[in-house]
Structure formats: C-alpha cells, structure tokens
Amino acid sequence: MAPDPAHDDEEASEVPTAPIEDAECARTTLAVALALLAGLSSVTQNGINTSLRKHAVPIPFMAACVNFAVGLIFIALVALATAPPRSTSTSLKEAPWYAYTGGLFGAVYVVTAILLTSPLGFATFSLCAVAGQ
C-alpha cells in the first residue's frame, strides 16, 4: 500500500502541544497564586504594622523603619541565596533616575497604612488604596 501524501501532511502538522500548554497553564496558575498571596500579604502587613505601632513603636515613621529593616534583611537573604549579584557600577548608572524611586513610593504606602488602617479599618483603607491606583 502506497503512503498517502495528504495523510502525511496531517500527521506532520499535528505537533503535540499538551506539554507546552500544560507548562503555560502552570506558569499562569502560579502567577495568579503569587498575586493573590501579594494581596493577602498587603492586608496582613497593614495589621502587623498597626500592631507594631500600637504595642512597640508608637512613632509611625519609626514603625516604618522597623518594617523596612526586617524587609531589607529578608530580601537580602533571598537575593543572596538565589543568585549572585549581576549589577555593575556601569549598569546601575545606565538606569534613569526615576528607576530608584520605587522605595520612596513603598515607604509612602507603608507609613500611610500605619497611620490610617486603625481609623479607617483594613477594608476601607485597602479599597481606598486600590481606588487610588
């Protein structure tokens, strides 16, 4: 029996895509789970920082300093454990000036959360923060 050329074309075009689609689905699922965790962390952080201010560090900016100090230690350990530094002084100079302002906005958010989570409540503060976006 002679091979059917039309049938061969159909088989050649049927490249198995299930593993690729499964990997993409897994990446998307992981990304959604991490985004949900980030949202949960935001609300949890507000409560923890408010408690820190109430019980240990009554000055909001000092409470924010404690927050950032703990965060710095954690992220430095994660960075050191996962990859060696790749930045050089040259590559750091090439970034635009505003590339380094993210920490400022993070500080504004944390101090604002420390000041306003108690009077507004977690839900209202979070809704206002999202509405401001």
Side-chain angles (χ1 to χ4, degrees):
M1 182 173 203
D4 182 8
H7 185 66
D8 287 343
D9 288 341
E10 287 176 14
E11 287 180 9
S13 66
E14 291 182 23
V15 177
T17 59
I20 295 170
E21 290 172 359
D22 288 346
E24 186 174 330
C25 181
R27 282 191 298 272
T28 301
T29 301
L30 178 61
V32 168
L34 290 174
L36 289 170
L37 180 63
L40 176 66
S41 296
S42 175
V43 171
T44 304
Q45 177 186 19
N46 289 350
I48 291 170
N49 288 338
T50 300
S51 180
L52 178 67
R53 178 183 180 204
K54 182 178 180 181
H55 298 290
V57 188
I59 302 168
F61 290 99
M62 292 305 294
C65 284
V66 171
N67 170 291
F68 280 104
V70 172
L72 175 64
I73 291 167
F74 173 76
I75 201 67
L77 291 173
V78 170
L80 290 171
T82 57
R86 297 180 190 193
S87 297
T88 64
S89 60
T90 303
S91 65
L92 293 174
K93 291 177 185 176
E94 291 175 2
W97 66 268
Y98 55 84
Y100 301 101
T101 61
L104 297 175
F105 293 111
V108 168
Y109 177 82
V110 168
V111 170
T112 304
I114 289 170
L115 289 170
L116 299 178
T117 297
S118 285
L120 294 178
F122 296 124
T124 303
F125 176 79
S126 296
L127 286 172
C128 291
V130 170
Q133 294 176 7

